Amino acid sequence: DARVTQTPRHKVTEMGQEVTMRCQPILGHNTVFWYRQTMMQGLELLAYFRNRAPLDDSGMPKDRFSAEMPDATLATLKIQPSEPRDSAVYFCASGAQGVDTGELFFGEGSRLTVL
Amino acid sequence: QKEVEQNSGPLSVPEGAIASLNCTYSDRGSQSFFWYRQYSGKSPELIMSIYSNGDKEDGRFTAQLNKASQYVSLLIRDSQPSDSATYLCASEGGFTDSWGKLQFGAGTQVVVTP
């Protein structure tokens, strides 16, 4: 059963600490997305990669967020330093361009609480 | 203003009735449209996609697209309690290399009452 795997599922941290979220996309998917979901803003695209190359990270606060894809099986989203306003659910999603138009498969999300 | 607008609801629907959800988008260049369902505390999952003007049916779901009016809708027939969820409308396209880069609406919460 292919699925997107995200860790950690829950994270509580204090303001100023570094947070790293990890994502394993579905094998064979060449496009990986990081979304953030809050009650106020809904689902917002933070960054995405195609064939491991970053295509767009304009949705991320550049001074504190960074996204990387060191290999085809791992995408990371790092926040340093974290702030209370970063509290949200962070979703990773993957898809296969040319196979399933627009169908993104979402992971279960990482719920981040910054105190 | 968000590029994709939806009524937040909640939309209360009696069991067995038709639920009608609406969505408008601002980018005339958008080419593809999607409805995702999200249960509380869960991740979004795709239920319908539509690319051409008109209707598209899949089981109890019908998506409708009118590009001239920049309007997308979703009908859920014979609504069941298991349809209670938030429904997210999303658009894609309008620029180079936009595959998969979705703009989501805020979602409409649907509550199906027995």
Side-chain angles (χ1 to χ4, degrees), chain A residues 66-97:
Chain A
S66 62
E68 296 181 346
M69 197 160 180
D71 63 60
T73 65
L74 177 65
T76 63
L77 180 67
K78 185 176 296 186
I79 309 173
Q80 168 63 19
S82 57
E83 298 181 1
R85 58 178 167 159
D86 301 329
S87 297
V89 180
Y90 291 80
F91 287 105
C92 175
S94 70
Q97 184 183 18

Side-chain angles (χ1 to χ4, degrees), chain A residues 27-107:
Chain A
L27 186 65
H29 282 186
N30 67 343
T31 309
V32 177
F33 302 81
W34 282 106
Y35 281 90
R36 175 172 64 183
Q37 188 172 39
T38 61
M39 289 293 292
M40 293 298 296
Q41 299 297 327
L43 264 172
E44 302 173 285
L45 179 64
L46 298 176
Y48 76 111
F49 299 80
R50 181 154 299 136
N51 298 320
R52 294 178 55 201
L55 286 190
D56 187 352
D57 62 1
S58 59
M60 288 200 313
K62 298 289 191 304
D63 56 338
R64 299 183 300 107
F65 284 59
S66 62
E68 296 181 346
M69 197 160 180
D71 63 60
T73 65
L74 177 65
T76 63
L77 180 67
K78 185 176 296 186
I79 309 173
Q80 168 63 19
S82 57
E83 298 181 1
R85 58 178 167 159
D86 301 329
S87 297
V89 180
Y90 291 80
F91 287 105
C92 175
S94 70
Q97 184 183 18
V99 176
D100 298 305
T101 302
E103 179 164 15
L104 302 186
F105 294 82
F106 283 78

Side-chain angles (χ1 to χ4, degrees), chain B residues 10-83:
Chain B
L11 176 65
S12 184
V13 181
E15 185 174 356
I18 296 175
S20 178
L21 291 74
N22 303 316
C23 169
T24 58
Y25 60 95
S26 60
D27 184 357
R28 283 199 170 274
S30 295
Q31 298 296 318
S32 306
F33 303 88
F34 309 89
W35 285 98
Y36 280 76
R37 177 176 63 199
Q38 186 174 24
Y39 292 113
S40 180
K42 302 296 185 181
S43 58
E45 56 178 339
L46 180 70
I47 55 170
M48 288 288 290
S49 57
I50 187 166
Y51 314 111
S52 305
N53 281 329
D55 295 358
K56 179 181 178 183
E57 187 174 318
D58 184 359
R60 296 186 295 111
F61 299 99
T62 298
Q64 300 172 316
L65 173 60
N66 183 325
K67 290 186 178 180
S69 300
Q70 296 176 246
Y71 177 88
V72 191
S73 67
L74 179 70
L75 299 177
I76 308 173
R77 290 182 301 282
D78 188 23
S79 296
Q80 302 297 309
S82 59
D83 296 325

Side-chain angles (χ1 to χ4, degrees), chain B residues 81-98:
Chain B
S82 59
D83 296 325
S84 297
T86 296
Y87 290 79
L88 302 166
C89 175
S91 68
E92 177 209 78
F95 49 89
T96 302
D97 203 17
S98 61

